[in-house]
Amino acid sequence: MKPIRLIVNGNAVSAFADADTALLDVLRNHLGLMGTKFGCGLEQCGCCMVLVDSRPEKSCGKSLSAVAGKEIVTIEGLGTPDRPHPLQRAFIDEQAGQCGYCLAGILMTAKGLLDRNPSPSRKEIAEALDDNICRCGSHIRILRAVERAARLLREGAAR
Ligand code: FES
Ligand code: FES
């Protein structure tokens, strides 16, 4: 088996796995990045969303070979407890979540949105998050949190 190279959270890594292994499996079970969650495994829930070359993608539906050489950003690459990303600060401030299981995927989708559109309307935020399911029903607070993060970023908060 030949290693497949990719860039994860800014680091060049080699993954020793079959080419058709799901990226989600590679992240969690080969690279030890447990922040990206397994929900349905069928590209239906958005729990496993990561950025692939800056675009939100469901990692359960991407094979390792499909992301060879690409830049992947996971929730671990967003911020840290000491230096949370403005999105993470906004989600805490709005208490946008209950169990939190969906949030890694939602945060990565929101990051992709705000990187390409710094001033999204509420409708645009809802449309961007259409593929992310929150079973706890925190949708309104999630929308508010993304709006708050967009304001923070426009005001120059450190990313
Ligand atoms: S686990 Fe990938 S979309 Fe549900
Ligand atoms: S906060 Fe529980 S699924 Fe979204």
Side-chain angles (χ1 to χ4, degrees), residues 24 37-48 58-61:
L24 175 60
K37 298 292 187 265
F38 178 93
C40 62
L42 297 168
E43 299 186 80
Q44 299 291 311
C45 74
C47 276
C48 63
K58 294 165 190 150
S59 59
C60 71

Side-chain angles (χ1 to χ4, degrees), residues 14 26 30 77 79 101 113 115 125 131 139 159:
S14 295
V26 172
H30 294 255
Y101 200 81
L113 169 67
D115 284 350
I125 297 170
D131 275 357
H139 302 93
R159 287 168 189 252

Side-chain angles (χ1 to χ4, degrees), residues 1-6 13-21 64-65 68:
M1 183 186 303
K2 278 195 185 156
I4 293 180
R5 294 175 197 280
L6 55 163
V13 299
S14 295
F16 291 85
D18 288 334
D20 61 355
T21 307
L64 178 56
S65 59

